[in-house]
Amino acid sequence: MLLKDCSFIITQDDKRRILKDYSIRIEGNHIVEIAKGIKGKGIDCRGKIVMPGLINTHAHLGMHSLRGICDDETLFNWLDIVNREEEKLSMNQILRNTEEGIIECIRNGTTCVYDSYKFAPERIKVFERLGMRGFVSSTVTKPHHLAHVDRLIHDTKKSQLVKPIVAAHSPYRCSKEILESIRDISREHNLMRRIHIAETEKEVRDTKKETGMTSIRYLDKIGFLGKRTILVHSTFVDDYEIGLIAKNRSSVSHNPISNMKLGSGGVAPVVKMLGRGITVGLGTDSVVSNNDLDMFEELKITCLLHKHHNKDPKCMTYQTAMDMATLHGAKCLGLSDIGQIKKGMKADLITVNMEGLGPWNSVVSNLVYCANGNCVRDSIIDGRLVMQDRVLQKI
């Protein structure tokens, strides 16, 4: 495959180079050449920006049919309504929801998504059929849920696109024994482990009342933190806890739109986290709390939220946000072969239509502050063209 005469290439390499009028040759699922004047037939990328596909580090695609059921509700009313409706979802509906969620992800420029919901082994097949790179888990809250993890590990062994994650829901829905079991499975099988943590002040208060410690301190105490740990939300954490996250080399999935929509009342201290060298990726959460899967929106909102909250326009730059949605997202999920455009990397790329987004005084700035998912024209995942001119190729 050849992407010819790209108007701009956002490499996201170590120097964050932006290449003009270069072409990209892909063989198999890897980038093998980036140069000017590569001969051969290919996709005409004049008038397009080519960039790494966006990486969504936290979603629940199986909830797709519940979008809009309880907007503008207080958090715990929202949870009651959503939990009741989730109980009504059949496996077939969840698989349809997963398909619709993946389609929305692809159309909005996401090439890798971490999706946690029920019926994980069955959802793997949907990812593979649509050509989507992903991480899949079923959230564990009870001991018998751990049996699902063994099947998930088995069913993803031969997949080039889908990897498993072992996932705890949260401290308030998982006993200490379950959290320790997830920790041990993660270590034994070399898997990433995930938990929703410090999302609300109530959670932190309840955890402290139950354990004598705040949420992150508790996870550190039981050995749950570590380099394979993904901490989702991490909104209500103090400076000492940021230090614990950094010391243990855990990663954070920041979901700003979901947190704002549910009115959690806090802003994750992402600027401080980045300052301590913590890897922070971006996520949408579900369409019930967002209400879409457009990662370009997360890019812009991340910048605006932290500039406003910290009263500092320089504290969250457009380049930092782009890093969080690409390089940091990959690292957050334990990947080192996507998130950049350079020779030897896997070919997870998107093209963005430049029309209506100029003038191009700053290419990355325009992408972060002006673009949205509707600007995406083509998507290549694992070297395969999964969307061309906004038409999905595998439906």
Side-chain angles (χ1 to χ4, degrees):
M1 186 186 301
L2 181 62
L3 304 181
K4 290 179 64 67
D5 305 321
C6 311
S7 290
F8 294 103
I9 299 174
I10 310 300
T11 65
Q12 285 295 94
D13 64 9
D14 293 343
K15 296 181 179 179
R16 304 300 190 269
R17 290 181 303 156
I18 299 174
L19 307 178
K20 188 173 182 180
D21 301 325
Y22 276 64
S23 299
I24 303 171
R25 185 183 299 281
I26 299 166
E27 292 181 2
N29 62 353
H30 285 83
I31 298 167
V32 296
E33 186 180 9
I34 304 171
K36 287 191 174 184
I38 302 176
K39 303 297 182 182
K41 294 183 179 180
I43 298 172
D44 183 0
C45 290
R46 289 173 294 181
K48 294 179 180 178
I49 299 166
V50 180
M51 61 179 285
L54 302 176
I55 299 169
N56 187 342
T57 61
H58 185 63
H60 304 289
L61 303 182
M63 300 174 71
H64 208 266
S65 64
L66 304 183
R67 174 157 44 198
I69 62 166
C70 54
D71 290 335
D72 306 326
E73 279 286 351
T74 58
L75 177 59
F76 290 99
N77 283 342
W78 182 92
L79 285 169
D80 287 342
I81 295 168
V82 170
N83 289 339
R84 283 200 306 270
E85 294 302 315
E86 285 184 284
E87 291 298 319
K88 301 175 185 177
L89 295 176
S90 67
M91 184 181 75
N92 286 338
Q93 181 64 63
I94 288 170
L95 296 182
R96 286 196 299 272
N97 288 351
T98 301
E99 177 175 328
E100 291 172 2
I102 290 172
I103 291 169
E104 184 173 337
C105 284
I106 292 172
R107 285 183 171 151
N108 284 295
T110 294
T111 55
C112 179
V113 58
Y114 167 37
D115 174 39
S116 188
Y117 210 60
K118 305 171 187 175
F119 305 109
E122 290 78 12
R123 290 183 357 253
I124 293 167
K125 299 173 184 177
V126 182
F127 274 77
E128 292 180 327
R129 176 165 53 82
L130 294 175
M132 184 64 167
R133 189 181 305 283
F135 286 77
V136 170
S137 68
S138 286
T139 299
V140 175
T141 58
K142 299 176 182 177
H144 69 269
H145 294 160
L146 293 168
H148 302 163
V149 177
D150 290 333
R151 183 182 169 193
L152 182 61
I153 293 170
H154 176 270
D155 289 356
T156 53
K157 277 184 178 179
K158 296 181 180 179
S159 178
Q160 287 191 343
L161 288 174
V162 185
K163 295 180 181 294
I165 285 178
V166 57
H169 185 277
S170 59
Y172 58 89
R173 292 190 65 184
C174 294
S175 68
K176 177 175 176 284
E177 290 73 25
I178 287 177
L179 293 177
E180 290 173 335
S181 293
I182 288 173
R183 175 202 65 197
D184 294 344
I185 292 169
S186 168
R187 290 173 177 173
E188 178 185 355
H189 296 280
N190 215 23
L191 300 178
M192 302 300 293
R193 55 185 179 267
R194 180 227 72 186
I195 188 168
H196 302 96
I197 196 74
E199 184 177 5
T200 68
E201 289 178 302
K202 183 179 186 303
E203 176 212 314
V204 175
R205 287 196 304 269
D206 289 350
T207 302
K208 189 171 184 179
K209 182 178 180 181
E210 181 74 21
T211 68
M213 294 168 276
T214 54
S215 300
I216 297 294
R217 287 174 172 85
Y218 173 58
L219 293 186
D220 180 59
K221 178 72 173 179
I222 65 173
F224 195 92
L225 298 181
K227 66 179 181 179
R228 301 193 181 281
T229 304
I230 305 170
L231 303 168
V232 180
H233 302 304
S234 304
T235 304
F236 294 94
V237 297
D238 59 32
D239 289 346
Y240 180 78
E241 290 174 311
I242 292 172
L244 290 176
I245 296 169
K247 178 182 176 181
N248 285 279
R249 294 186 293 163
S250 299
S251 300
V252 171
S253 174
H254 182 39
N255 296 236
I257 294 178
S258 176
N259 294 153
M260 293 169 69
K261 183 170 183 286
L262 292 177
S264 67
V267 177
V270 169
V271 174
K272 288 184 177 181
M273 292 176 182
L274 293 172
R276 295 294 301 270
I278 295 169
T279 298
V280 182
L282 294 179
T284 58
D285 216 328
S286 78
V287 297
V288 192
S289 63
N290 188 294
N291 287 17
D292 61 42
L293 300 172
D294 187 346
M295 283 288 290
F296 279 97
E297 289 187 357
E298 302 295 336
L299 283 166
K300 182 174 182 176
I301 292 298
T302 295
C303 283
L304 300 185
L305 172 63
H306 293 284
K307 290 173 189 290
H308 177 73
H309 179 69
N310 290 281
K311 301 178 182 179
D312 179 1
K314 295 184 178 182
C315 72
M316 179 62 70
T317 67
Y318 57 78
Q319 184 60 61
T320 298
M322 181 63 73
D323 291 350
M324 291 166 69
T326 54
L327 290 167
H328 291 191
K331 188 177 179 182
C332 189
L333 295 172
L335 297 176
S336 60
D337 53 4
I338 63 172
Q340 293 180 304
I341 298 179
K342 66 179 184 181
K343 185 177 178 180
M345 298 291 283
K346 286 185 177 176
D348 282 15
L349 317 172
I350 60 174
T351 73
V352 176
N353 185 7
M354 295 173 64
E355 185 178 356
L357 297 180
W360 294 95
N361 298 311
S362 175
V363 182
V364 177
S365 175
N366 282 24
L367 288 170
V368 170
Y369 292 125
C370 304
N372 59 57
N374 291 320
C375 301
V376 177
R377 300 303 304 174
D378 311 290
S379 179
I380 297 166
I381 302 175
D382 206 45
R384 300 181 182 94
L385 187 64
V386 298
M387 183 174 75
Q388 185 169 21
D389 291 328
R390 293 201 63 76
V391 177
L392 271 74
Q393 304 298 294
K394 294 201 171 188
I395 296 180

